[in-house]
Amino acid sequence: MPRGELRIYLGAAPGVGKTYAMLEEARRRAGRGTDVVVGLVETHGRPQTAAMIGDLEVLPRRPLRYRGTDLTELDLDAVLARRPELVVVDELAHTNVPGSRHQKRWQDVQELLDAGISVLSTVNVQHLESLNDVVARITGTTQRETVPDAVVRAAEQVELVDMTPEALRRRMAHGNIYRPDRIDAALGNYFRVGNLTALRELALLWLADKVDDQLDRYRAQQGISATWEARERVVVALTGGPEGETLIRRAARIAARSKGADLLAVHVARNDGLAGADPAQLARQRVLVESLGGSYHQVLGADVPAALLDFARGVNATQLVLGASRRGRFAHLFARGVGVTTTARSGAIDVHLVTHPQAGRGRRGAAVPAALSRRRRLLGFALAGLGLPLLTLLLSVLPDLTLTNDILIFLAGVVGVALVGGLWPALVAALGGSLLLNWFFTPPYRTLTIAEADNLLALGVFVAVAVAVSGVVDVAARRTREAARAAADAQTLATVAGSVLRGERPLPALLDRLRETFALRAVSVLELAPDAQGRPGRAHEEDVWRRVASVGVDPAGSPGAGETTVPVDERLTVVLSGRRLEAADRRIVEAFAAQAAVALRQERLAEEAATARPLAEADRLRTALLAAVSHDLRTPLASAKAAVSSLRSPDVEFDPEDRAELLATADESLDRLGRLVANLLDMSRLQAGALGVTRTAIGLEDAVPLALDELGPAAAGVRTDIPADLPAVDADPGLLERVLVNVVANALRHSPVGRPPTITASAHAGQVELRVIDTGPGIPEDRWEHVFLPFQRLGDRDNQTGVGLGLALSRGLAEAMGGSITPETTPGGGLTMVLRLPAADERPDR
């Protein structure tokens, strides 16, 4: 069975017209003869949206009851039984009512698609999982309902429904989005011009990435390798040389000229696995690229221009930035160089050759180390100086050997010298061997004259072969040493990366690994004070340096106090104490230092985030508090004022019954307002740590009736089962009553009609447990902790039930008294709140 197709209408904010556009498409397809049904459409009371449904077939919704409220959801079974060609399902990110087959509506849509039914749906950018936190920072509102990006990206079509912020605000002001009582608050908060502009840009950029993925898939399917300039992508080639930073900044400026352009840096490494570029330079350049918003890549290749162009074409690059060659003029006579070759092969890709201070100066890299140790080279010279005369003496006493045999034996000796001592001893042996062969074994003897041309050729071939073999042996030894060095460096870096990833604090772990690797006494990271930066005269004074991280014994406090100093940038320096490192080790230490700078930056960002988190949480609580109490303060005040105003009105005469009812309304409203203010004050004291607690022994058989009396007639049916011999609890009587009132009120709110909650108590292991048991709809176990968050009304869809402080305050008060509150599932369905308090040493006096 072919899978159905998903088409999603993406909007930047509510009210841009996603549902309207979706219904337009549904009617268009129905007019073409497609079998279309409306599975679920949320009109939100907007008459234009409701009118667009028109004569489309609408399937009844599935009724569900949750916490005493009748709700409806998409009837998935009805859609599957009807099996239309196309079904309209609004609000893809919606969370289904508990009791539905799937937790999320997008999971319903996936089942419909698997059944071969195509779907039209909608989603706002704030509901995309990857952008949820970004939207929360922009708007100050956290969206609880999200949909995975992969679900939306997998859609066959995603259509952006766009509208300017000004037009959307006009729609809001005309009452086309929200009810009149919500317009002012919306325009002043979520629907500010800045917020809407940022959300619009997020939607456009997210959709651009989706389109970019589709383009890449199409090019891969069609085998298209030519560059399509649909979007600017600037690739900068890095060699690991000092000119890299110049190239990166130049490429970043080129990319900045085009809005939304991508910056990519690539280094082509040798595919023989041997060391090539400076790892410290590459590490620093990678940090620079990422700080400029680009990405770093590394590819392998023997042919650098070919590998570079393959990468550029693979990412659909439009521009390539290369550095002018560092090779001298003489080197260009033998090879054109990477820049010229790449430009000749680039095709449609624009190539920028950027000059820099190192251009044309030749490659002044580090001195190439000798292939063999000094001891082996000396041994090779000794073997050449002593072995060749002995070999000459041996050949002079052997009879009947031709010149050819003598040359072969001398060649074997030269090869032996090359194997022992390398190139230079072998060259000395080859030259000395040719002279000895000429003097003793080539006619005329005892002269350097060669009478026959064949003998001259033989000696020439001997010298050439000896030199060639010596060169091959030397190169092999050099490559072996380079490979061993590269393997050791790679192992060191891999060990470092592993220790950093496993450690909770990357910077100390990195420095400690550096200290252990090179057997150092101490390692420290020093930072130059801002007032000393740019003043070389003070750069070596200890009082202008600050030690930001260190490991080991007696770490250095200034660059001059250590044996080895590795500058990271203008402000940071890594100082090694204990021994002076060899030049060959310095490259790997520089790579360590570059990574230490990255780790330091990450630690500081984490500290800033930790500092900002309490402020953001406090701001979130303030925002939630203002949003939550706006209704709850107005409602009782309005009720009380209306009752009192009616009683004071001289135009109406009330009989005693009506007068009593108005007074009761005013009294109830003021009591409700008093409880709300008391909860808010207690919550603020809890958060400030200023709540006063006076603990004493109190019996639950006394505390529970007081709490039920405060709840009034609503608690008349609550059943209690408190044993007479139950120990007293050690608690604050006033706070305990507040806890019981809030917990029992929550249970009453969610208990079915005719089935009031039950209160039981028991003692165990020095604690008294009081259970408030209801048989309502309950809460999924993975959402238990959510009910204890301030200003949460889990599953509620109105503002009539308080600000959501009850359980949060109750848990805080219980913990202040040394107890706890935890939820449990009621057998047979429902929720049980368990209040645990320490038992008192003795019962209170009666």
Side-chain angles (χ1 to χ4, degrees), residues 167-486:
L168 186 58
R169 285 172 59 86
R170 282 197 299 271
R171 288 200 66 201
M172 173 71 73
H174 294 160
N176 295 329
I177 300 177
Y178 289 159
R179 298 190 311 269
D181 59 331
R182 298 179 59 189
I183 291 176
D184 291 340
L187 289 175
N189 291 282
Y190 194 92
F191 283 80
R192 294 196 299 266
V193 172
N195 289 356
L196 297 177
T197 302
L199 294 176
R200 189 184 185 199
E201 183 175 13
L202 283 178
L204 290 169
L205 291 176
W206 190 94
L207 188 60
D209 288 338
K210 157 82 175 167
V211 174
D212 206 38
D213 293 340
Q214 291 177 328
L215 179 60
D216 289 342
R217 285 197 299 269
Y218 176 79
R219 283 164 47 86
Q221 292 168 359
Q222 301 298 322
I224 299 172
S225 59
T227 300
W228 285 8
E229 299 183 13
R231 182 176 181 178
E232 288 288 346
R233 283 185 176 83
V234 181
V235 174
V236 54
L238 302 178
T239 64
E243 75 281 358
E245 294 186 5
T246 301
L247 301 183
I248 292 170
R249 291 189 172 93
R250 176 63 172 163
R253 290 195 296 271
I254 294 173
R257 294 170 186 167
S258 300
K259 187 68 174 179
D262 293 333
L263 174 64
L264 302 92
V266 60
H267 169 66
V268 180
R270 291 163 53 176
N271 60 2
D272 56 8
L274 302 180
D278 186 345
Q281 291 276 14
L282 286 176
R284 285 192 288 267
Q285 290 164 14
R286 178 173 187 167
V287 173
L288 177 60
V289 169
E290 293 175 349
S291 68
L292 293 173
S295 59
Y296 177 85
H297 308 267
Q298 185 162 311
V299 297
L300 297 176
D303 186 350
V304 174
L308 188 58
L309 288 172
D310 286 343
F311 173 82
R313 293 189 178 107
V315 299
N316 198 24
T318 57
Q319 302 190 61
L320 184 59
V321 178
L322 302 173
S325 177
R326 284 182 285 158
R327 305 187 321 154
R329 294 180 180 179
F330 184 74
H332 283 284
L333 298 176
F334 300 95
R336 295 192 300 174
V338 173
V340 176
T341 305
T342 303
T343 304
R345 301 180 188 175
S346 63
I349 302 176
D350 296 335
V351 179
H352 302 264
L353 282 177
V354 179
T355 187
H356 50 84
Q358 287 75 32
R361 295 186 177 182
R363 295 184 178 274
R364 294 179 174 83
V368 178
L372 299 175
S373 66
R374 185 171 182 270
R375 179 181 178 184
R376 286 189 60 178
R377 295 197 304 274
L378 292 176
L379 184 60
F381 282 117
L383 183 61
L386 297 176
L388 292 182
L390 291 175
L391 185 58
T392 302
L393 180 62
L394 177 64
L395 291 177
S396 64
V397 299
L398 292 176
D400 302 329
L401 289 179
T402 65
L403 178 61
T404 302
N405 292 330
D406 295 335
I407 290 175
L408 290 175
I409 292 173
F410 265 86
L411 182 60
V414 172
V415 172
V417 171
L419 291 173
V420 173
L423 178 61
W424 291 108
L427 292 178
V428 171
L431 181 60
S434 66
L435 294 174
L436 291 172
L437 283 170
N438 188 6
W439 185 268
F440 290 103
F441 304 105
T442 305
Y445 303 109
R446 304 297 190 277
T447 68
L448 295 178
T449 303
I450 300 175
E452 298 179 10
D454 291 345
N455 293 339
L456 179 61
L457 178 62
L459 287 175
V461 171
F462 163 76
V463 173
V465 171
V467 171
V469 171
S470 302
V472 170
V473 171
D474 186 78
V475 169
R478 191 182 304 279
R479 289 298 179 92
T480 301
R481 187 169 182 175
E482 288 179 357
R485 181 72 188 186

Side-chain angles (χ1 to χ4, degrees), residues 500-559:
V500 170
L501 290 174
R502 289 189 296 270
E504 292 183 359
R505 300 187 62 198
L507 183 56
L510 185 69
L511 299 181
D512 197 54
R513 181 61 62 184
L514 175 60
R515 183 183 62 82
E516 292 177 359
T517 301
F518 294 100
L520 301 169
R521 186 185 74 247
V523 179
S524 57
V525 179
L526 306 180
E527 185 175 30
L528 190 63
D531 59 348
Q533 192 171 352
R535 298 170 62 184
R538 301 195 62 196
H540 296 286
E541 299 178 11
E542 186 167 351
D543 59 344
V544 302
W545 291 93
R546 183 171 65 93
R547 188 187 299 119
V548 295
S550 63
V551 295
V553 179
D554 192 20
S558 68

